[in-house]
Each structure stands twice: as C-alpha cells, then as structure tokens.
Amino acid sequence: MSGSGRIYLRRIALSGFRNYSSLALKLDGRHVCLFGANGAGKTNLIEAVSQLSPGRGLRSASLPDMARVQGAEKGTSWALGATLFDGDIDRAIRIEASLEGSTRGKRVMQVDGALATASSMSDLVRIIWLTPAMDRVFAGGATERRKFLDRQTLAHFSAHGSHSNAYEKAMRERNALLERDRPNPVWLDGLEARMAEHGARIARHRVVTVQRLQAAVELRPDSAFPKADLGLEGLAEAAFSKGEELSEVETMLRDQYREDRRRDARARRTLSGPHRSDLIVVHRPTGVPAALASTGQQKALLIGLILSNARALEAEEDLRNPLVLLDEAVAHLDPDRRAALFDELSALRGQAWLTGTEPELFAEFGERAQHFSVSAGQISEKDAS
Ligand SMILES: Nc1ncnc2c1ncn2[C@@H]1O[C@H](COP(=O)(O)OP(=O)(O)O)[C@@H](O)[C@H]1O
Ligand SMILES: [Mg+2]
C-alpha cells in the first residue's frame, strides 16, 4: 500500500438508492461539486459514497431506510457500483444491501468480483466527512464530540468500530447483570475483562488519532481555518498519554469497573469508562474553548479539523489517502474562505466531494473540479461557472 498516489472514484452507479432509481456517473479524477435545490439528491449521493467505508455512513441510516421508496412501494434492496482508482490500479467495487434472507440487514461487498469484508474495504479506501449535523459538536454534549472523534479515529484504525461494538455489548450485559439481586461475580469479572480489553484499545486508538491530528494541525499553514488545541478527557486516555502500556491500562480499567459495581448498580448504568470520554477543543487564535466560540468560528474550526485529519491520514505511509465529503460546508463561508478551502482541498491527494445549492458557490474551484447539477435524482455535468 502506498500513501502517495491520487485516489478517486472514476465511476459510481446506483440502483434503487434513496431518490435515485438508477444512476451511472463517470468521473475524471478531479474533485466533485454537486449543486441543486433542496431535496434534489446531493446529500443522498455522497451518502452513497460514504457506504464504501465501515459503519453506517454519513447519515447513520439503516440499510432499509436507504432503499428507494416510490409511492406506496418500498424498495426491497439497493446496490452501488463504483470504480475506485486506488493510486495504482482500478478496483471494481459492488455493494448490495441485503434486506431479505440469511444476509438480511447486511451489506454484501465485492471487490473485483470476490467477496470482501468491511475491513478489507477500509484497507482500500478511507473516507471522512463533514455534515451540517456536526455543527452541534462543540455546543452539544460529550456524546456528540465522542462520536465525531470516533469517526475520525475509524478512518485511522479500521478495527475501532468492532472494538466499540464489542465494548458496548459487554457493557449492556454487565448493566443487565447488575440489575439482578445477587449478580454472579464470576460473570461480572468476565464481562468487565472484556470491557477492559476493548476499552483500552478504543482509548489507545483515540490517543494516537488525536496525536496525529494535532501534528497535522501544526503542519497546516495558517489559513482561514483556525488551528485547534486538542485534548482528551478520560482515565484510560490519560494513562496512555502518560506512556502506560496496554496491559496496564486494561488492568486499571478492570479494577475500576469492579470497584464501581455498587455505584453502577444504583445508577443502573456504567458511570465511568471510555464510553464517557470527551474530546477537548480550544480555538487557538482566541484561546477560548470551542464551545464558547461563535457559530462561524466553530464551523471554521470543524473544517480545519477535517482538513487536518485528511492530512494526518495522508501522512501515514500504510494508509490510503482519504476521500473527503463536505456536505453544505461552503454555503456559510465568505468568498475568501471558500477560495481558501478549495486551495487546501486541491493540495490533498484524495478526491473531495462537495455539495451546495448554487453553482456560484463553487466558481473559484474552476477547472480543478467537475461541476454537476443535481435535480430530482438526475445528474448532469456543467461547465465550471
Ligand atoms: N428511501 C428514499 N426513497 C426515495 N426518496 C428518498 C428516500 N430517502 C430520501 N428521499 C428523498 O431524497 C430527497 C432528499 O435528498 P437529499 O440528497 O437529502 O437532498 P439535498 O439535495 O437537499 O441534499 C428528498 O426529496 C427525499 O424525499
Ligand atoms: Mg443535503
């Protein structure tokens, strides 16, 4: 694998996906701008692209929700075909949503005609994104920030998602067990050991990701998108930051869960652990916590973080350069900032996909991007305006 090559989708085909009955779009490797009225299908298209990465995609939608509904008719499946130029060669990818039968609820994925796992897919392509829903990241609670961080982390560590799932599952079982009158301590030991095993890895992935992100922040030139100082709040994360080993952090977490049994039983949930960690972000130019920054400053910080993560991923020799999906990210930027964003995207080696309502929003991108008009699930290419 090489971190050096340009990566892009050269073709994407959809059938029965959201408002697309069928679509075949050829691309030439430049960045992609999609414009059109509200409800045209711009976000749907980049949501389709996000299905190439592990997890639920940029709307966190279930597979059936993405199947095309028409009148009273509900689609029974959807499919996505893509040709990915991986920096080296073309890869033919096919994803089919299985809504029935034994594979129900799963994505059946093929690369070059052979069945592929989610993790082999993520070795092939990394995808990061920014959506309007993320605007609440700094103003909201720790949950939103943790989700944001875990999404960035997943692009660095494809196993992050399965550790999170395993952790959550063990925690649910522990919580259920603690509701009983006399929970079996041996069972609790076992579940807590599993939580510690996965929890320590989750925390370590986060710490490494934040370190890579911060390093990328420092390397980015000063720009319209302000630098951030990042931190992590969480016991396990703090232990890793102090240089402790995986086994030490696992033991620490296990001891913590055992000590907390009574308290957690009363609270009817697990009160401490990596599922409660928080990402701390400070707006460097003002030194103010991101939560207190203005809405515009928060948006610019977020764009800066996504650009930094793209660079952080590019800096890793053994990871593919990422595709970057920016949904409605440019509408609220003044023309100078838009131009600065396009310049920064042009310096990246992965393809960027952007959406907005008006073609003029992307004028400064010019010939560095392909420009498409989207209308009612139909797409046509336009000259750069
Ligand atoms: N499962 C579905 N089947 C058919 N149409 C859908 C489905 N889900 C969403 N849509 C339609 O897609 C449109 C929204 O597309 P979207 O990509 O979010 O628009 P925008 O261009 O504003 O980003 C709406 O018209 C909505 O009715
Ligand atoms: Mg949209």
Side-chain angles (χ1 to χ4, degrees), residues 13-209:
L14 297 176
S15 64
F17 185 91
R18 299 265 190 203
N19 67 335
Y20 294 93
S21 70
S22 85
L23 172 79
L25 187 63
K26 284 218 164 109
L27 302 161
D28 64 15
R30 286 179 287 165
H31 300 300
V32 178
C33 301
L34 305 168
F35 60 87
N38 289 326
K42 306 178 296 293
T43 305
N44 292 347
L45 182 53
I46 60 172
E47 181 186 33
V49 173
S50 74
Q51 298 302 312
L52 297 168
S53 69
R56 285 181 139 209
L58 63 69
R59 276 197 178 108
S60 301
S62 67
L63 293 188
D65 281 348
M66 292 181 276
R68 184 159 191 259
V69 182
Q70 209 180 13
E73 227 178 286
K74 180 110 181 76
T76 52
S77 180
W78 54 263
L80 179 165
T83 305
L84 174 80
F85 178 70
D86 75 353
D88 230 354
I89 55 168
D90 280 339
R91 304 287 196 153
I93 299 173
R94 186 169 167 80
I95 298 181
E96 229 171 296
S98 174
L99 306 181
E100 288 164 345
S102 61
T103 50
R104 195 181 138 171
K106 297 221 167 82
R107 290 180 294 184
V108 180
M109 299 186 278
Q110 293 182 357
V111 177
D112 296 332
L115 278 180
T117 61
S119 92
S120 66
M121 281 287 296
S122 64
D123 288 339
L124 212 56
V125 59
R126 312 258 154 181
I127 307 184
I128 53 177
W129 56 74
L130 190 63
T131 69
M134 292 175 177
D135 287 354
R136 293 187 302 268
V137 157
F138 299 129
T143 308
E144 294 298 314
R145 277 184 298 280
R146 201 166 48 244
K147 262 198 217 153
F148 174 80
L149 171 63
D150 282 335
R151 195 66 234 184
Q152 307 314 312
T153 304
L154 188 58
H156 289 261
F157 298 96
S158 46
H160 192 64
S162 50
H163 284 299
S164 301
N165 292 340
Y167 179 89
E168 295 284 335
K169 182 167 180 285
M171 183 168 69
R172 277 195 306 273
E173 290 177 29
R174 175 179 182 269
N175 290 348
L177 200 51
L178 284 175
E179 298 223 347
R180 298 195 185 171
D181 276 345
R182 286 170 183 279
N184 183 328
V186 180
W187 288 4
L188 281 171
D189 283 346
L191 291 169
E192 289 164 0
R194 254 160 53 203
M195 287 170 66
E197 178 197 334
H198 297 293
R201 282 160 180 81
I202 290 167
R204 188 173 60 173
H205 291 158
R206 288 178 184 152
V207 169
V208 174
T209 301

